[in-house]
Amino acid sequence: MIIRYLGARVWILVAALVAAAILVPLANLALPANHPLHVPSYLVPLIGKYVCYAMLALALDLVWGHLGILSLGHGAFFALGGYAMGMYLMRQIGARGVYGNPELPDFMVFLNWQELPWYWYGFDQFWFAALMVMVVPGLLGFVFGYFAFRSRVTGVYLSIITQAMTYALLLAFFRNDMGFGGNNGLTDFKDILGFPIQADTTRAALFAASCIALALAVLCVGAIIRSKLGDLMIAVRDAESRTRFIGWRPEYVKLFAFTLSAVMAGIAGALYVPQVGIINPGEFAPVNSIEIVVWAAVGGRGTLLGPVIGALLVNYGKSVFTGLAPEYWLFVLGGLFVVVTIFLPRGIVGTIDHGWDALKARRRAKNREKGESEGTGNDPNLAASPAE
């Protein structure tokens, strides 16, 4: 029953992610380096980064594909989750830092901070950091969404203020007196949960955790969009005024989805940071949030599978093109978005779905015509000529 409820596509994607969470670490740790199926150690965190991006794209698609809210600020939620995890990792360094201070991170010692800021308290505990990974982005998403949706801000105006939000955070986190490392951000991490962060086993575990987190996110989003709430989200997207007139409160539906999307983005950011080894204000850059939109658009928004595929393909292409022609990568990205918008407005998965639906409709029409023609030939009353 639950398999039929969520659909085969969801379970295929979840099965693929669970298989990747098992097989990639095994191929990296268990197989010798000369084995043809061996996965090099440098590829494990790279693919893990792509998986985190896929989760971020899925988070955006929850509000864009199913509610029509084009957020250009989801990079902010991703970065806040990353900073929450980065603060935990910095607290784990302790006296092993350059300056040997057991409590203050190196950048605070360098800037002559005398004591740890109050908002760093508790981040020496993993459970607290994991809680903040969800609470901080979720709270920002809730507060922002409450005032925006209550004021009925929609369309391009909502997109602009989400972009303004992430740009304001970018400027704030660049300041040294904010206590987040300024321009350099947080880096030089040593371990996580007592395990060396650079060890192959730790990287493999982080990759597996990223795959499992994305699989759970797919199940969560799949359950929502196939429920009555999902139908209500589509109604709000397509006819918000009519939905309001029949008694629903669209702002509450938007607020729930936007807050959940922010939490998902924060979790993706938290898994991203230990795999790349750094978090800095550059993650708040407006261009990063625009890239997330490109991922969802290329894959096909509103298709569940599309944003995941789009994030993986675009970021793989980015890795390839930045190596071959780094100075032209942004032109390639912009050109890709233009091509998809003009020739594949539904994205890759959306175009395939549309073509498949059209093919099935054509087959049904042919079968119907064939059945009618056969029925006419067998019925003497219908076969008789008007003259008779």
Side-chain angles (χ1 to χ4, degrees):
M1 177 64 87
I2 189 171
I3 294 178
R4 186 182 306 171
Y5 175 73
L6 291 179
R9 175 176 294 177
V10 171
W11 290 109
I12 291 173
L13 180 55
V14 169
L17 289 169
V18 173
I22 297 172
L23 296 178
V24 171
L26 284 177
N28 172 245
L29 300 174
L31 298 179
N34 58 356
H35 195 281
L37 297 180
H38 174 75
V39 176
S41 295
Y42 76 91
L43 272 183
V44 175
L46 181 63
I47 303 174
K49 182 177 72 171
Y50 295 165
V51 173
C52 295
Y53 285 154
M55 186 173 177
L56 177 58
L58 182 64
L60 172 68
D61 189 62
L62 177 63
V63 294
W64 186 31
H66 302 283
L67 270 173
I69 301 172
L70 177 55
S71 170
L72 297 179
H74 260 56
F77 305 126
F78 180 80
L80 288 173
Y83 264 97
M85 179 57 66
M87 292 167 71
Y88 162 76
L89 296 174
M90 291 298 290
R91 292 298 306 274
Q92 299 306 298
I93 297 175
R96 292 174 292 173
V98 175
Y99 297 100
N101 192 301
E103 186 171 357
L104 297 180
D106 285 338
F107 71 87
M108 291 186 183
V109 178
F110 178 77
L111 295 173
N112 296 319
W113 288 61
Q114 301 302 315
E115 60 182 2
L116 196 69
W118 63 268
Y119 45 84
W120 278 75
Y121 293 157
F123 279 96
D124 55 335
Q125 301 293 325
F126 180 81
W127 68 267
F128 182 83
L131 182 63
M132 291 300 105
V133 161
M134 296 180 287
V135 169
V136 175
L139 184 60
L140 176 63
F142 179 85
V143 173
F144 177 88
Y146 176 80
F147 289 105
F149 303 141
R150 186 170 177 267
S151 302
R152 300 188 183 180
V153 180
T154 59
V156 65
Y157 302 103
L158 182 63
S159 301
I160 290 173
I161 61 175
T162 56
Q163 185 94 115
M165 173 190 68
T166 189
Y167 189 66
L169 288 170
L170 168 69
L171 297 178
F173 275 74
F174 260 120
R175 296 169 57 94
N176 286 327
D177 57 2
M178 282 288 291
F180 296 108
N183 182 49
N184 295 322
L186 309 177
T187 187
D188 194 30
F189 308 133
K190 305 297 184 185
D191 51 45
I192 179 171
L193 291 173
F195 298 97
I197 204 166
Q198 297 297 331
D200 289 345
T201 52
T202 306
R203 290 184 171 186
L206 288 169
F207 171 83
S210 301
C211 290
I212 297 301
L214 177 57
L216 293 175
V218 169
L219 289 173
C220 178
V221 174
I224 289 173
I225 64 177
R226 287 184 172 271
S227 66
K228 293 182 179 180
L229 176 59
D231 295 337
L232 183 57
M233 290 167 62
I234 299 298
V236 171
R237 182 193 67 187
D238 296 341
E240 181 174 344
S241 297
R242 185 175 298 178
T243 306
R244 180 179 287 107
F245 291 155
I246 62 177
W248 294 100
R249 299 293 296 271
E251 57 271 23
Y252 292 161
V253 179
K254 292 181 178 181
L255 185 59
F256 167 78
F258 196 78
T259 303
L260 177 61
S261 178
V263 172
M264 289 172 54
I267 295 173
L271 291 167
Y272 166 86
V273 167
Q275 296 185 83
V276 300
I278 188 173
I279 178 71
N280 60 38
E283 297 296 337
F284 288 102
V287 67
N288 289 355
S289 295
I290 295 174
E291 277 194 46
I292 305 169
V293 175
V294 174
W295 303 340
V298 168
R301 69 186 182 102
T303 60
L304 189 66
L305 180 61
V308 175
I309 291 179
L312 296 177
L313 288 180
V314 173
N315 282 285
Y316 173 75
K318 182 177 181 179
S319 297
V320 173
F321 282 107
T322 50
L324 297 176
E327 64 273 17
Y328 298 115
W329 160 244
L330 289 178
F331 296 100
V332 173
L333 180 65
L336 177 65
F337 189 58
V338 171
V339 168
V340 169
T341 302
I342 296 176
F343 298 104
L344 296 173
R346 295 182 177 88
I348 296 172
V349 176
T351 301
I352 294 174
D353 286 347
H354 180 71
W356 180 249
D357 291 341
L359 180 62
K360 289 194 295 184
R362 191 177 298 114
R363 286 179 177 176
R364 285 196 297 266
K366 288 184 177 180
N367 292 335
R368 191 180 305 112
E369 291 176 359
K370 183 178 179 181
E372 290 176 354
S373 62
E374 290 177 353
T376 302
N378 294 331
D379 192 336
N381 296 323
L382 294 176
S385 66
E388 296 175 352

